[in-house]
Amino acid sequence: MNRINRKIDEFCYRHPNFGIPNLMKVIVFGTAIVYLLYFLVELQNPGGGMSAISFLAFNLNSVLHGEIWRLVTFIFVPTNYNPFWLLISLFFYYFIGTTLEREWGTAKFNIFYFSGVLLTLLSTLFASLLTGLSFALGGVDYVNMSLFFAFAMLYPETTVLLLIIPVKIKWLAWFDAALFAFSILTALLRLNFIGALLPIIALLNFFIFFGNNLLLWIQRKTGQVSHRASSKTIQYKKAVKEQAKQKGYHHKCCVCGKTDTDYPNLDFRYCSKCAGYHCYCSEHINNHIHITED
């Protein structure tokens, strides 16, 4: 993954103007137009809105019969037809997409987005060829999810309003990941192996771009856990409790005898190289003879 990322970064450095500037504006505008078409037809003919925009969805049989525009237009098919939620989702993904484009540059953002589109398309094509059924594909749910996960990796502490409740992006990402895992597990329990595989393939670009970040995060978290469980960490906690039992102070330097009661602004530390629980002030923590067991 490191090698792939380096190649992508090198390409983007050499071709900074590659791709479509303000790509998310194009996606949002195109999706709004398709929804408007659906809405107008639905007003005149209830139930006919989906049929009116079906010519835009990807369908292998239709593509093989010359309707090659479907290879692109499926991107603009809405995934939510409730006008309120559609407006919220379009605004949200526009905000995320433009932020990522500013962070990465136009070239890298276009590569990330269209690699997700390509993987989504290939996964649907693979399912169609494997089962002999012609699966229809409208919208880019998994691409949008990869955008959301990418944003959460880069800006985990960002707070957004969930209706009126402020929530950090990282918690929304964890919730979204749980739903994603649940959908895969449900598909596996139903023996729908293709239904479980397609979401993973469609999100593969996220793992390509952020696989190393995930590994580093896991290593950092496991390192913190092991540190908390280490014997030295436990000793420090015990030392503080033992000192707290003594009258008048919590910490006392073994060299000069200063205590945190007499010197409240002085820092006190416990030496990990000394045997037992021995406290030292900041003046002597790095300047004392280590106590060893007899």
Short mmCIF file of all heavy atoms in Angstrom, two decimals, residues 29 61 96 115 155 157 174 199 212 219 225 230 259 279 286:
data_model
loop_
_atom_site.label_atom_id
_atom_site.label_comp_id
_atom_site.label_asym_id
_atom_site.label_seq_id
_atom_site.Cartn_x
_atom_site.Cartn_y
_atom_site.Cartn_z
N PHE A 29 -24.61 18.91 -8.41
CA PHE A 29 -25.46 19.58 -9.40
C PHE A 29 -26.13 18.55 -10.31
O PHE A 29 -27.33 18.64 -10.59
CB PHE A 29 -24.63 20.56 -10.22
CG PHE A 29 -25.44 21.39 -11.18
CD1 PHE A 29 -26.30 22.37 -10.71
CD2 PHE A 29 -25.33 21.19 -12.56
CE1 PHE A 29 -27.05 23.13 -11.59
CE2 PHE A 29 -26.08 21.96 -13.44
CZ PHE A 29 -26.94 22.93 -12.95
N ASN A 61 -26.62 -5.56 -19.52
CA ASN A 61 -27.29 -5.87 -20.78
C ASN A 61 -27.49 -4.63 -21.63
O ASN A 61 -27.29 -4.64 -22.85
CB ASN A 61 -28.63 -6.55 -20.52
CG ASN A 61 -28.48 -7.99 -20.06
OD1 ASN A 61 -27.45 -8.62 -20.30
ND2 ASN A 61 -29.49 -8.51 -19.36
N ILE A 96 -17.81 17.55 2.63
CA ILE A 96 -16.72 16.59 2.81
C ILE A 96 -15.82 16.56 1.57
O ILE A 96 -14.59 16.60 1.67
CB ILE A 96 -17.29 15.18 3.08
CG1 ILE A 96 -17.86 15.11 4.49
CG2 ILE A 96 -16.22 14.12 2.91
CD1 ILE A 96 -18.51 13.79 4.82
N SER A 115 -11.55 6.08 -8.50
CA SER A 115 -11.16 4.69 -8.22
C SER A 115 -12.27 3.99 -7.45
O SER A 115 -12.55 2.80 -7.68
CB SER A 115 -9.85 4.65 -7.43
OG SER A 115 -10.01 5.23 -6.15
N TYR A 155 -9.93 14.23 9.87
CA TYR A 155 -10.47 15.23 10.81
C TYR A 155 -11.39 14.55 11.83
O TYR A 155 -12.60 14.83 11.86
CB TYR A 155 -11.25 16.30 10.05
CG TYR A 155 -10.49 16.93 8.91
CD1 TYR A 155 -10.73 16.55 7.58
CD2 TYR A 155 -9.52 17.90 9.14
CE1 TYR A 155 -10.03 17.12 6.53
CE2 TYR A 155 -8.82 18.48 8.10
CZ TYR A 155 -9.08 18.08 6.79
OH TYR A 155 -8.38 18.65 5.76
N GLU A 157 -11.82 14.89 15.00
CA GLU A 157 -12.38 15.72 16.08
C GLU A 157 -13.37 16.77 15.58
O GLU A 157 -13.90 17.53 16.39
CB GLU A 157 -11.25 16.41 16.84
CG GLU A 157 -10.25 15.46 17.48
CD GLU A 157 -10.89 14.52 18.50
OE1 GLU A 157 -11.83 14.97 19.19
OE2 GLU A 157 -10.46 13.35 18.59
N TRP A 174 -17.59 5.51 13.46
CA TRP A 174 -17.68 4.22 14.15
C TRP A 174 -19.08 3.62 14.01
O TRP A 174 -19.24 2.41 13.79
CB TRP A 174 -17.33 4.38 15.63
CG TRP A 174 -15.86 4.37 15.91
CD1 TRP A 174 -15.11 5.41 16.39
CD2 TRP A 174 -14.94 3.29 15.73
NE1 TRP A 174 -13.79 5.05 16.51
CE2 TRP A 174 -13.66 3.75 16.12
CE3 TRP A 174 -15.07 1.99 15.28
CZ2 TRP A 174 -12.53 2.95 16.07
CZ3 TRP A 174 -13.95 1.18 15.22
CH2 TRP A 174 -12.69 1.66 15.62
N PRO A 199 -19.65 -4.83 -1.07
CA PRO A 199 -19.32 -3.62 -0.31
C PRO A 199 -17.83 -3.50 0.00
O PRO A 199 -17.27 -2.40 -0.04
CB PRO A 199 -20.14 -3.77 0.98
CG PRO A 199 -21.23 -4.70 0.63
CD PRO A 199 -20.65 -5.65 -0.36
N ASN A 212 -2.29 2.15 5.77
CA ASN A 212 -1.15 2.39 6.67
C ASN A 212 -1.58 3.23 7.88
O ASN A 212 -1.12 2.99 9.00
CB ASN A 212 -0.04 3.12 5.91
CG ASN A 212 0.59 2.23 4.86
OD1 ASN A 212 0.77 1.04 5.08
ND2 ASN A 212 0.92 2.80 3.72
N GLN A 219 -1.66 0.04 16.05
CA GLN A 219 -0.43 -0.15 16.82
C GLN A 219 -0.34 0.83 17.98
O GLN A 219 0.09 0.47 19.08
CB GLN A 219 0.78 0.03 15.90
CG GLN A 219 0.94 -1.09 14.87
CD GLN A 219 2.04 -0.80 13.88
OE1 GLN A 219 2.67 0.26 13.91
NE2 GLN A 219 2.28 -1.74 12.97
N VAL A 225 -2.60 0.30 25.43
CA VAL A 225 -3.19 -0.73 26.29
C VAL A 225 -2.10 -1.50 27.02
O VAL A 225 -2.18 -1.75 28.22
CB VAL A 225 -4.08 -1.69 25.47
CG1 VAL A 225 -4.51 -2.88 26.31
CG2 VAL A 225 -5.29 -0.94 24.93
N SER A 230 1.22 -2.65 31.89
CA SER A 230 2.58 -3.05 32.25
C SER A 230 2.80 -2.97 33.76
O SER A 230 2.14 -2.23 34.46
CB SER A 230 3.59 -2.16 31.53
OG SER A 230 3.52 -0.85 32.04
N THR A 259 8.51 17.74 49.77
CA THR A 259 7.21 17.12 49.57
C THR A 259 6.32 18.03 48.73
O THR A 259 6.61 19.23 48.58
CB THR A 259 6.50 16.85 50.91
OG1 THR A 259 6.19 18.10 51.53
CG2 THR A 259 7.38 16.02 51.83
N CYS A 279 10.27 7.95 44.95
CA CYS A 279 9.84 9.21 44.34
C CYS A 279 10.98 10.22 44.38
O CYS A 279 11.77 10.26 45.33
CB CYS A 279 8.62 9.75 45.09
SG CYS A 279 7.97 11.29 44.42
N ASN A 286 16.58 12.86 37.41
CA ASN A 286 17.65 12.44 36.49
C ASN A 286 19.03 12.57 37.12
O ASN A 286 20.04 12.46 36.42
CB ASN A 286 17.58 13.29 35.21
CG ASN A 286 16.30 13.07 34.43
OD1 ASN A 286 15.88 11.92 34.25
ND2 ASN A 286 15.68 14.15 33.97
#
